[in-house]
């Protein structure tokens, strides 16, 4: 059900274009939803007669949709008669204007079109291995990516995959996994994962032998973190609370994956462009700056803070670092920390590491992320 829903959201503009020639006027939303779902299934190669039968059955179960059985039957049958090349000619779905405008301003039209092309495809599944990535890739029939993540093309149900119950791996996009690697936690270090749930980065940090404190506001999301730690056998001290009210200082390293617009995750969450309109971005940007300032207070002198967001907007990445360096005298932007295996030099800018969905496009892309490593002065003042 989730696969069908996300595929339909991902291909919504294509589905509407494919259906338009066969509709005189738009039917009610529930009927339109069935038509869109059926259209996407047909366009992805499902047997048209099976799709038609399924959608007609769905329509017959609703009092308000029963009368549209004939319409759904006729429209999807006509769509099923179309040659596959007709669907191949449909344009790549574009981002909504509220997001596309700022993205084009930041990265240029060609780059945004390349991102949209990646976001139109079903993304592969990325795993972080508890042990040897090469051994995991061989066992799972996957590919070891340059940064060390393992990528599966056809994964199916995650919890049914071999090694899930044993805790041999956890799901984590390759871009998201880079942040903890940049932090470079070492055995015995006191490390804070400041917005920890659901725990992918916490497990990466715990695997280094560091003394990890996992902090998060949501008790529900921390429940998932506890489950993940139990499954993988890692340990971390778990604290439920507001990051801005957490006042325990002296950490050697802090990972701050700050709340953000999540615009970098659209390839995995195609509902996002429909669920947001950009209205909350100003408040998120202000919160990120406040969290950076607070995190720096929790660091020991000479300690390091990795700030990251799964956003494609410079205001939630590059600009945050520029302004943090202006606010804090002596704060160092450690660009050398970003030079990790698999990271291409062109991805590192003056403010930090910029990852985009169109990077590794031939491999299935990656989530959009910004990552920076900031070092507190060894002595204040």
């Amino acid at each position: 059900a989730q696969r069908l829903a996300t595929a339909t959201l991902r291909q919504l503009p294509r589905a509407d274009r494919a259906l338009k020639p066969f509709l005189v006027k738009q039917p009610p939303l529930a009927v339109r939803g069935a038509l869109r779902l059926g259209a996407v299934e047909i366009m992805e190669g499902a047997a048209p007669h099976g799709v038609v039968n399924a959608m007609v059955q769905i329509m017959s179960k609703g009092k308000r949709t029963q009368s549209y059985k004939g319409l759904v039957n006729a429209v999807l049958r006509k769509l099923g008669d179309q040659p596959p090349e007709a669907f191949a000619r449909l344009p790549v779905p574009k981002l909504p204007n509220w997001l596309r405008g700022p993205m084009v301003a930041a990265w240029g039209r060609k780059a945004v079109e390349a991102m949209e092309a990646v976001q139109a495809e079903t993304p592969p599944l990325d795993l972080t291995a508890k042990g040897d990535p090469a051994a995991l890739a061989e066992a799972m029939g996957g590919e070891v990516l340059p940064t060390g993540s393992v990528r599966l093309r056809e994964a199916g149900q995650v919890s049914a995959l071999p090694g899930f119950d044993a805790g041999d791996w956890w799901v984590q996009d390759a871009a998201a996994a880079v942040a903890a690697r940049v932090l470079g936690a070492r055995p015995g270090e006191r490390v804070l994962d400041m917005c920890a749930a659901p725990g992918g980065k916490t497990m990466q940090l715990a695997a280094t032998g560091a003394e990890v404190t996992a902090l998060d506001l949501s008790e529900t999301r921390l429940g998932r973190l506890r489950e993940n730690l139990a499954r993988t056998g890692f340990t971390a001290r778990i604290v439920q609370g507001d990051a801005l009210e957490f006042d325990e200082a002296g950490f050697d390293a802090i990972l701050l994956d700050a709340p953000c617009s999540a615009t970098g995750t659209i390839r995995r969450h195609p509902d996002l462009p429909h669920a947001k309109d950009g209205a909350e971005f100003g408040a998120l940007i202000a919160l990120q700056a406040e969290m950076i300032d607070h995190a720096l207070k929790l660091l020991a002198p000479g300690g390091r803070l990795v700030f990251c967001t799964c956003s494609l907007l410079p205001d939630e990445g590059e600009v945050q670092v520029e302004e943090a360096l202006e606010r804090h005298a002596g704060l160092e932007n450690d660009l050398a920390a970003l030079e990790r295996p698999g990271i291409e030099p062109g991805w590192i800018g003056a403010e930090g590491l910029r990852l985009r969905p169109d990077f590794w496009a031939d491999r299935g892309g990656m989530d959009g992320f910004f990552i920076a490593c900031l070092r507190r002065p060894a002595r204040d003042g």
Side-chain angles (χ1 to χ4, degrees):
Q2 184 181 31
R3 179 185 65 79
L4 290 170
T6 53
T8 304
L9 286 165
R10 194 173 281 119
Q11 302 296 340
L12 216 53
R14 279 176 168 163
D16 287 345
R17 276 181 177 261
L19 290 165
K20 189 176 180 180
F22 309 115
L23 291 169
V24 176
K25 62 178 183 178
Q26 289 292 348
L29 188 58
V31 180
R32 207 183 319 164
L35 287 169
R36 286 165 158 173
L37 174 57
V40 169
E41 283 203 89
I42 290 170
M43 288 191 291
E44 291 191 345
H49 67 275
V51 174
V52 171
N53 290 340
M55 293 305 119
V56 169
Q57 283 185 14
I58 289 172
M59 292 295 95
S60 68
K61 292 179 181 178
K63 290 182 179 179
R64 296 184 179 180
T65 58
Q66 286 175 347
S67 61
Y68 290 91
K69 288 189 298 182
L71 172 74
V72 168
N73 180 67
V75 169
L76 291 181
R77 281 187 184 279
K78 288 179 181 177
L79 190 70
D81 290 337
Q82 301 297 302
E85 50 268 26
F87 304 137
R89 288 194 296 266
L90 294 170
V92 171
K94 285 183 166 53
L95 291 166
N97 290 335
W98 62 262
L99 178 57
R100 199 172 200 270
M103 292 262 294
V104 169
W107 312 118
R109 192 170 303 280
K110 284 189 177 180
V112 171
E113 288 174 353
M115 293 184 223
E116 288 170 333
V118 171
Q119 289 167 343
E121 301 297 324
T122 301
L125 183 73
D126 292 347
L127 309 177
T128 298
K130 183 177 179 180
D132 177 23
L136 180 66
E138 185 176 354
M140 305 280 280
E143 168 195 8
V144 180
L145 296 172
T147 52
S149 294
V150 174
R151 176 158 288 182
L152 307 181
R153 296 289 175 179
E154 299 290 336
Q157 185 181 337
V158 170
S159 58
L161 292 173
F164 176 83
D165 291 332
D168 294 341
W169 49 265
W170 56 93
V171 174
Q172 188 177 30
D173 188 83
V178 171
R181 294 183 179 127
V182 167
L183 191 71
R186 295 184 287 271
E189 283 192 317
R190 293 187 63 226
V191 178
L192 173 64
D193 190 354
M194 205 165 172
C195 298
K201 298 178 184 68
T202 300
M203 289 182 284
Q204 284 181 283
L205 298 173
T208 67
E211 297 176 9
V212 181
T213 297
L215 171 67
D216 202 273
L217 182 62
S218 169
E219 183 57 49
T220 302
R221 284 168 56 81
L222 281 174
R224 289 180 60 198
L225 188 149
R226 289 187 178 93
E227 290 172 5
N228 281 325
L229 287 174
R231 184 172 62 83
T232 55
F234 291 126
T235 57
R237 172 186 164 220
I238 297 174
V239 179
Q240 188 271 322
D242 187 332
L244 294 175
E245 296 176 2
F246 184 78
D247 60 359
E248 184 181 321
F251 286 96
D252 299 302
I254 296 176
L255 178 56
L256 171 56
D257 186 357
C260 71
S261 64
T263 45
T265 67
I266 290 174
R267 62 194 271 274
R268 297 196 183 277
H269 301 285
D271 55 309
L272 191 145
H274 306 281
K276 297 188 177 186
D277 61 4
E280 79 279 24
F281 289 180
L284 284 170
I285 291 166
L287 175 61
Q288 291 155 13
E290 196 174 356
M291 294 185 85
I292 290 172
D293 292 348
H294 187 66
L296 291 172
K297 295 176 185 175
L298 305 181
L299 278 177
R304 60 202 185 278
L305 166 68
V306 165
F307 164 75
C308 62
T309 55
C310 53
S311 171
L312 288 166
L313 302 173
D315 283 348
E316 296 185 284
E318 289 85 348
V319 175
Q320 287 287 12
V321 168
E322 284 179 357
E323 295 181 350
L325 292 169
E326 290 173 1
R327 291 195 303 271
H328 299 276
L331 186 64
E332 178 191 348
N333 189 4
D334 185 359
L335 296 177
L338 307 173
E339 296 172 0
R340 305 292 300 177
I343 298 301
E344 298 185 17
W347 299 352
I348 301 174
E351 299 83 12
L353 173 61
R354 167 54 65 186
L355 303 177
R356 297 193 331 219
D358 56 319
F359 295 170
W360 294 345
D362 58 333
R363 288 187 168 105
M366 64 174 74
D367 280 355
F369 250 85
F370 175 80
I371 303 169
C373 183
L374 304 174
R375 289 187 179 270
R376 182 178 166 179
R379 289 189 182 85
D380 292 329

